[in-house]
Amino acid sequence: MTARPVTEHIVDSVGSVPLWAPAEDSLADEELAAGFASGDEACLAAAYHRWGALVYTLGRRSLGDAREAEDVTQTVFLAAWRGRAGFAPERGTLSAWLVGITRRKIADALAARTRRADLVAAAGARMSLGQADADAQPDAVLDRVLIGRELARLPAAQRRVLTLAFYDDLTQPQIADLTGWPLGTVKSHARRGLHRLGRCLQGEGADGRAE
């Protein structure tokens, strides 16, 4: 059987302690960093095993969401591996370099969250226009049709959560009480729905054509 690349093992184990510990985990930080910089995949695995919890903790504290912290952790180590040529041991430790990448990825995640929220808020505002406003703003009619179409394409659970949030002005705990779903499930549907809706809206022009 062909061995899977170390990067795939890391992706599978992000957010939890790996079930396997590489022999290179016994290396000193300097030796591990040198191996990492030279492209030794075993040292990538060892770096994840040694500092993955730190990266995850930083992400969880800043983002307040376990799943997003897991995504950031995965992104950090894959970005570090792909950009390892930019790591210079003489300028600092590997752990400090990883923390720097983590901060940038957290900032990216927060910015993406804000963009999604702005897009969906704009969608809610457009769709809530009264008929009089719509008549006064012909372009708004087409905007509302476009956004309604994208909402209709969402899976039923995601569409229900977003509808309750934007049209009924319910909080996520209130939606959980109403639907009987666990709060974590509601948050997951909201996050995925926002991401998908934001992606669809970014890919369409106001006139309904792909940009």
Side-chain angles (χ1 to χ4, degrees):
M1 182 176 64
T2 303
R4 296 172 66 201
V6 174
T7 48
E8 291 187 17
H9 286 287
I10 288 177
V11 169
D12 289 345
S13 59
V14 162
S16 61
V17 177
L19 299 179
W20 54 280
E24 287 74 8
D25 197 45
S26 62
L27 292 174
D29 287 358
E30 294 78 7
E31 295 173 301
L32 194 161
F36 182 95
S38 68
D40 185 343
E41 280 202 357
C43 288
L44 166 62
Y48 170 75
H49 190 257
R50 189 169 302 183
W51 294 301
L54 170 63
V55 171
Y56 173 81
T57 298
L58 291 172
R60 181 66 184 271
R61 287 176 179 172
S62 297
L63 299 168
D65 184 277
R67 182 56 183 270
E68 282 190 281
E70 292 173 3
D71 291 344
V72 163
T73 304
Q74 173 180 321
T75 301
V76 165
F77 279 92
L78 292 180
W81 180 246
R82 291 166 181 160
R84 61 188 179 276
F87 170 62
E90 66 275 9
R91 293 206 299 263
T93 64
L94 180 57
S95 59
W97 189 64
L98 290 171
V99 167
I101 296 174
T102 302
R103 288 172 177 162
R104 291 195 294 273
K105 296 304 179 183
I106 288 172
D108 290 345
L110 290 171
R113 179 189 291 178
T114 299
R115 287 195 300 272
R116 290 195 299 271
D118 288 346
L119 283 166
V120 177
R126 289 172 181 171
M127 294 184 69
S128 64
L129 284 173
Q131 185 59 45
D133 288 339
D135 291 340
Q137 302 177 44
D139 289 346
V141 176
L142 204 52
D143 286 347
R144 196 167 67 252
V145 170
L146 169 63
I147 297 164
R149 183 189 68 188
E150 299 304 341
L151 274 174
R153 290 177 177 176
L154 295 177
Q158 295 174 14
R159 184 170 62 250
R160 186 179 185 191
V161 168
L162 293 184
T163 298
L164 289 171
F166 295 122
Y167 299 125
D168 295 341
D169 200 26
L170 298 183
T171 65
Q172 290 181 339
Q174 289 171 333
I175 293 173
D177 289 340
L178 179 65
T179 60
W181 295 335
L183 181 57
T185 299
V186 171
K187 289 182 176 180
S188 178
H189 287 323
R191 181 178 62 248
R192 293 174 184 173
L194 287 171
H195 179 72
R196 185 167 178 175
L197 179 60
R199 198 170 52 203
C200 291
L201 291 175
Q202 284 178 312
E204 295 278 352
D207 59 357
R209 296 191 301 271
E211 291 181 335

